[in-house]
Amino acid sequence: MRKLRSHLFGIDSGSLVLFSDFLDDGEMWTGDGERILRRYVEFSEAYANPPVVNVTMSMWDIDGATNQRVDIAAADITAEGFTIVFQTWGDTRVARVRADWTAYGEAHDEEGWDLY
């Protein structure tokens, strides 16, 4: 469990299309085997420390004639941002994906003092 020291709780969120590989015969659509895509996301303002980040797929367009194998996660989380990691493998053909994310954590206190 994460316990916050501050009465200031920050929530940031967003949505972005990770790729549309069917438009230009990109690797997720035409490739085979393990394929990984990483997209960096910057928070609208920095947290006091790294927040908890949840990533979901809010739209996915996958070929129904192949196995549907995907993994999506948040990685490299810092107070300033994180990386969305999407991957597939085998014969899965992914045309496009949109990811939604939400970050929860301790916000900076503009009136507070940092004592070291």
Side-chain angles (χ1 to χ4, degrees):
M1 172 185 292
R2 178 175 286 201
K3 296 181 180 181
L4 303 177
R5 295 178 293 127
S6 173
H7 65 281
L8 294 175
F9 188 71
I11 300 174
D12 200 356
S13 63
S15 181
L16 66 142
V17 174
L18 296 179
F19 58 87
S20 293
D21 278 9
F22 72 98
L23 292 173
D24 59 2
D25 290 331
E27 181 182 31
M28 292 294 181
W29 184 241
T30 60
D32 200 336
E34 185 175 23
R35 285 154 282 151
I36 299 175
L37 175 120
R38 297 175 183 273
R39 287 280 300 272
Y40 181 74
V41 174
E42 187 173 334
F43 300 129
S44 60
E45 63 182 79
Y47 285 87
N49 46 54
V52 172
V53 178
N54 182 39
V55 177
T56 61
M57 286 192 302
S58 55
M59 184 273 298
W60 62 324
D61 184 0
I62 297 180
D63 184 356
T66 62
N67 289 313
Q68 298 177 1
R69 298 172 281 235
V70 297
D71 183 30
I72 193 165
D76 306 321
I77 301 168
T78 69
E80 291 78 27
F82 70 101
T83 301
I84 296 176
V85 180
F86 175 88
Q87 73 179 65
T88 188
W89 56 94
D91 64 348
T92 301
R93 291 171 32 112
V94 185
R96 61 184 164 178
V97 167
R98 181 177 61 233
D100 287 356
W101 60 270
T102 306
Y104 309 86
E106 183 178 351
H108 283 287
D109 185 351
E110 298 298 325
E111 297 179 17
W113 295 43
D114 290 328
L115 301 175
Y116 299 96

